[in-house]
Amino acid sequence: MGSIVSIWIGGRGDPRRRRVGVAVSTLTARSITLWQNGAMPRPLVYVLVVCLSMSPAVAAERDVLAQQLRAGVAIGGFPNWAERVIQEWINRARVDPQAALAGCAGCLERACYAPMPPLYWDPSLNRAARFHSDEQTKQSYFAHDSHCAVVSNIDQLYPVGCDGAASCACVGGSLSCGSIGCTPWNARVGLFGTSPTGEIMAIPAEPNTAFNLWMNESASSSACGFSSGAGHRVLILTSSGAIGVGASGRVAVGDFGGNGVPYRIASGSHYPQQAASVELWANWYDASAPRSAAAVVDGQCISMSLRLGTSKNGAWSATATGVGNGCHRYYFSFVDADGATVTYPATGSLGIGPCADWDTTRLQGSCASQSAPSRHRTVRH
């Protein structure tokens, strides 16, 4: 798998000085090619010395950029619509916890929560969470710890080679802990190559219902911190880093941990999955407020308004109408303080109705002429 870096050719003051993109493979110098002013690629073997001398910090920055260019893009079917909704609902609540908990009579510790940055999507946490959703559905139980010793190579098997059934997910192919012992929740998440900090679950997996169950549980006291009565809410509103949600069976699972890759549109989705009118939500997080915010549905720009939080860390919303039948493609388009357009997903589009949640196609909208977004705030649940 190659990567692309950009370099300058020519010294300062040289009229021929230009910036070019370089495709680099770390495996062979023959894979290096040069794009110059839109021309066809040609070999540029001597650039290999420059690329191989990149510091670890530069390489890490390049990897982050590559992941940002895939923000919101489904990878092998991860995430799905319900998982996107739950992540967005969580980030929406985090920008203004007091407003999000306004209707919760049992939230005695409500005053403990302050606005927090968004939780970014993590593919390993997403896979771990959905596997646990599937294994609970297939094996008919509801618990954080697995009900068997999960095979050590489950990350390679799931989901194509194993759907969560005991016959393929459990050591020996049976729902038994055996001499090894049942796999604890954190060790199971670790099998997917990441370290968790917490996990939440709910039945049913319907995203809005599951989220409200987590947020509106009754606390036994007003003390701050994790407790049996407010544990789900504490994880949602105080965790940092990343999240992966699993919602494919009857159980919704959220796994917290990792660092995530920062992207200014941290999350976005729509609800309900299809109706004559659906709400489109997206979270913006940046040092500066966006110049404008829009949802582009079937190529038409719909201006978004700030509903919760602040213009630098807030949840923005718009309503799409006339989408009750058929498939409708959309994406979010924000213009940052410098005039650059930021979209979510970074490429392709999301789907309303009986169509793929994410697809490579995008009916481009021209939203550059729209006015600055409204910043009227209302409490939404």
Side-chain angles (χ1 to χ4, degrees):
M1 185 83 153
S3 55
I4 296 176
V5 297
S6 112
I7 62 172
W8 286 99
I9 292 182
R12 291 187 179 274
D14 186 341
R16 297 171 299 174
R17 187 171 185 257
R18 60 206 181 275
R19 193 168 189 166
V20 297
V22 182
V24 182
S25 168
T26 57
L27 298 179
T28 169
R30 289 174 297 179
S31 298
I32 299 175
T33 53
L34 170 70
W35 283 267
Q36 176 183 337
N37 300 327
M40 292 294 291
R42 58 191 175 90
L44 189 67
V45 176
Y46 66 86
V47 176
L48 180 63
V49 177
V50 177
C51 296
L52 291 183
S53 65
M54 282 192 299
S55 68
V58 172
E61 183 177 351
R62 181 193 62 193
D63 291 341
V64 167
L65 176 60
Q67 293 181 64
Q68 288 175 332
L69 294 175
R70 297 194 299 269
V73 173
I75 302 175
F78 294 83
N80 61 32
W81 168 76
E83 293 160 356
R84 291 181 190 273
V85 172
I86 292 176
Q87 183 194 6
E88 173 55 29
W89 271 205
I90 287 174
N91 283 335
R92 185 177 72 174
R94 288 166 65 89
V95 302
D96 193 345
Q98 298 307 307
L101 296 175
C104 179
C107 298
L108 303 181
E109 85 300 357
R110 172 182 159 190
C112 299
Y113 305 111
M116 290 284 287
L119 295 175
Y120 299 101
W121 177 75
D122 182 276
S124 296
L125 290 172
N126 189 176
R127 286 171 49 77
R130 194 189 293 180
F131 167 73
H132 192 42
S133 174
D134 280 339
E135 71 166 340
Q136 290 181 88
T137 299
K138 296 289 184 180
Q139 300 171 24
S140 301
Y141 74 94
F142 181 68
H144 286 288
D145 293 340
S146 294
H147 272 204
C148 70
V150 178
V151 294
S152 61
N153 63 335
I154 190 62
D155 187 27
Q156 287 74 46
L157 295 176
Y158 181 78
V160 177
C162 181
D163 60 0
S167 58
C168 58
C170 301
V171 173
S174 62
L175 195 59
S176 169
C177 297
S179 59
I180 302 175
C182 286
T183 304
W185 73 272
N186 55 333
R188 181 190 61 250
V189 177
L191 292 175
F192 288 85
T194 186
S195 298
T197 56
E199 182 174 86
I200 56 178
M201 302 191 312
I203 294 176
E206 198 283 324
N208 197 57
T209 303
F211 176 77
N212 285 325
L213 286 171
W214 291 324
M215 285 292 285
N216 296 311
E217 60 188 349
S218 295
S220 57
S221 77
S222 59
C224 299
F226 191 91
S227 69
S228 58
H232 300 94
R233 191 162 53 240
V234 169
L235 284 171
I236 286 172
L237 296 176
T238 67
S239 295
S240 60
I243 188 171
V245 178
S248 63
R250 65 187 181 92
V251 185
V253 179
D255 284 328
F256 300 83
N259 296 310
V261 175
Y263 190 69
R264 285 175 289 179
I265 304 178
S267 56
S269 192
H270 71 280
Y271 190 88
Q273 192 166 19
Q274 185 163 37
S277 174
V278 303
E279 290 190 353
L280 304 152
W281 285 86
N283 269 61
W284 174 266
Y285 182 67
D286 193 29
S288 301
R291 290 186 185 181
S292 64
V296 184
V297 182
D298 295 332
Q300 301 299 311
C301 299
I302 305 173
S303 183
M304 301 183 76
S305 299
L306 177 64
R307 298 295 186 183
L308 287 168
T310 68
S311 57
K312 297 178 183 179
N313 180 26
W316 302 73
S317 180
T319 300
T321 58
V323 292
N325 297 292
C327 177
H328 303 271
R329 310 300 309 178
Y330 74 95
Y331 65 95
F332 298 101
S333 179
F334 284 63
V335 176
D336 70 11
D338 296 323
T341 298
V342 183
T343 68
Y344 185 94
T347 62
S349 60
L350 303 177
I352 299 171
C355 49
D357 170 67
W358 176 85
D359 189 87
T360 58
T361 62
R362 172 180 288 186
L363 187 56
Q364 200 76 28
S366 180
C367 307
S369 61
Q370 69 185 39
S371 59
S374 164
R375 292 178 185 173
H376 172 66
R377 298 199 302 169
T378 59
V379 177
R380 303 298 289 267
H381 297 285

